[in-house]
Amino acid sequence: MRPTSSIRAASATHHETAQTAACDLSSHAPPAPAAAIGSAEVLPRAIRRRRRPLADRGLPPDDELARLFVAFVERQKKHWPDLAKLGLIPEPSAEVVLRMVDDFKSRHRGTLPDATALGQLRKHVKKLGGSYSRYSCDNSSPTSIVDQVVNILDKAKSEDRFIPWAYVFADYSVSGLTASRCGYTAYKRVLSDVSQLIDTTYVDDFTRASRSELEWWKLAALSKRHQKRLIGASDGFDLSNPNSEIMITMYGLLSRLFVKSLREKVSRGMKGAARRGTCLGKPALGFARRPKLDSDGRPLVGADGQSIHEFCIDPATAALRLRMYELYVSENLSCGKIARHFNEIRADGGDSWTQSSVRKLLLSPTAIGVFLWNRTRREYDAELERWVVLRNPSSQWARHFDPELAIVPLKLWRAARRKLAHARQASPLTGRPLSRN
């Protein structure tokens, strides 16, 4: 029989049990998934996809890149008709568009442009420029990149500088708070290469290159070290201005205040929504979304005009969630074997299941109808120069409990957590740092 001290240690290891709900769960049994709500009201779950390679982070679909190239060509032909007549600005035929999309993706992944191929441009244009564009959120429109590039091309033309397609870089839907953006990193690598022909870096405004004042100082230092100009097309920033250092300080301060204020507002709103049971993020296996209704049965709408959603049991995947616990507890299968089994049957429409994803679902209290938010936070570690994930105190968590959303019996869920805790304590790797391999 397992010692009482081990059970207490396991409970302390995963502190999401008794504190997550104010009511007694011991006597409640999960309802039948199909009877939870009408299946016609359930919104389809998001398609389960494999995680993208890190090198592809910030890359949009090919059709967005094709749209960007067509807009680029149209603007450059308007500004530089003589280069278009000479064939130095290609016609956007289907074959050319596909080739240029592949060229953008290759540069985004770190391949340096061929500087010798751009030498012919120097016979007709004295100086060349490069551009970097970015937007932060999936909710933003991808046309934001097109608009930024158009502004940049207009500014470059006013300074008699031509920006070739080989020096156009961008990150789609990537936060400016991190410096490890693939497009941004690739552009800095090009900027550091002495064989490249970039004279001036153009961004639409100060915040497009970064939201971090530290990263702005690094970019400014890199540009000065290689004697490159840095220009903001919309806000008038110019690194060659004697007051540029003061402007960087002020822009960085304003950007930090904006980010801090926005983060507090978003955190407050999301915490209240989590307490009310509003769906935040992608539902876990076994759950889906449905429109939230008011007392008159009408869908609730948020301030942005979008429908407000709540969690509900998904009739198509609830049985899979329950089966996962039965395989682990009753049939004594490991998390790795469960992952392989789920990949074979393409559970939830995908074959990207891993041992870690199965373990997280087994630990998650969503299986018994308890939804937690704000358990962790991200902070920048100045010594390590990277963002780290830290655990918040339990007093800062937002909790929502709905017994009608329980899929797994509480007894089975507790048994799975005890077994996982015991396996972790018995592992010889417990307490050791993870190998980078």
Side-chain angles (χ1 to χ4, degrees), residues 365-402:
T366 57
I368 56 173
V370 177
F371 298 85
L372 304 177
W373 181 81
N374 199 37
R375 286 183 292 178
T376 59
R377 69 184 186 278
R378 294 176 70 248
E379 288 188 1
Y380 185 76
D381 191 319
E383 294 183 357
L384 299 177
E385 294 189 349
R386 63 183 177 89
W387 290 86
V388 295
V389 179
L390 302 177
R391 188 181 181 89
N392 289 328
S394 59
S395 59
Q396 298 180 9
W397 299 356
R399 303 173 176 85
H400 175 72
F401 169 63
D402 188 348

Side-chain angles (χ1 to χ4, degrees), residues 158-318:
S158 69
E159 297 185 342
D160 199 30
R161 284 168 171 78
F162 180 79
I163 300 178
W165 176 250
Y167 290 155
V168 175
F169 290 79
D171 281 302
Y172 286 69
S173 186
V174 181
S175 172
L177 291 174
T178 175
S180 59
R181 289 164 273 144
C182 295
Y184 179 72
T185 304
Y187 182 78
K188 288 202 301 182
R189 189 180 300 115
V190 172
L191 196 63
S192 304
D193 189 350
V194 295
S195 66
Q196 301 298 327
L197 306 177
I198 295 178
D199 170 76
T200 304
T201 297
Y202 291 94
V203 293
D204 183 53
D205 64 67
F206 180 87
T207 61
R208 295 306 93 194
S210 179
R211 284 284 187 181
S212 169
E213 61 272 22
L214 179 60
E215 187 57 35
W216 254 99
W217 284 110
K218 290 182 178 180
L219 179 61
L222 176 65
S223 300
K224 288 184 176 181
R225 185 165 63 251
H226 294 279
Q227 298 181 348
K228 310 290 186 181
R229 299 170 69 237
L230 179 59
I231 300 295
S234 298
D235 58 8
F237 177 82
D238 187 347
L239 186 61
S240 60
N241 189 310
N243 297 323
S244 62
E245 294 184 354
I246 298 176
M247 295 179 67
I248 291 177
T249 303
M250 295 302 299
Y251 281 156
L253 175 62
L254 293 175
S255 179
R256 176 60 57 182
L257 290 174
F258 171 78
V259 171
K260 183 177 183 296
S261 176
L262 182 62
R263 182 177 291 163
E264 291 174 351
K265 293 176 183 177
V266 171
S267 177
R268 181 176 64 247
M270 294 183 70
K271 191 171 185 178
R275 287 196 303 266
R276 294 188 294 270
T278 303
C279 182
L280 299 175
K282 182 180 178 181
L285 180 68
F287 297 94
R289 301 176 302 155
R290 66 174 176 184
K292 201 169 186 177
L293 307 179
D294 59 15
S295 57
D296 298 327
R298 293 174 297 188
L300 293 174
V301 179
D304 56 356
Q306 301 294 324
S307 177
I308 298 176
H309 298 113
E310 63 182 356
F311 289 109
C312 63
I313 292 179
D314 180 30
T317 60

Side-chain angles (χ1 to χ4, degrees), residues 301-357:
V301 179
D304 56 356
Q306 301 294 324
S307 177
I308 298 176
H309 298 113
E310 63 182 356
F311 289 109
C312 63
I313 292 179
D314 180 30
T317 60
L320 289 173
R321 186 71 178 273
L322 177 59
R323 181 60 178 160
M324 179 185 293
Y325 284 85
E326 293 174 346
L327 290 173
Y328 184 71
V329 176
S330 303
E331 302 185 23
N332 205 29
L333 292 184
S334 66
C335 294
K337 291 183 179 179
I338 295 175
R340 287 194 292 271
H341 173 65
F342 273 33
N343 286 329
E344 291 174 358
I345 65 174
R346 295 188 63 83
D348 199 19
D351 58 354
S352 58
W353 291 95
T354 63
Q355 178 179 351
S356 176
S357 61

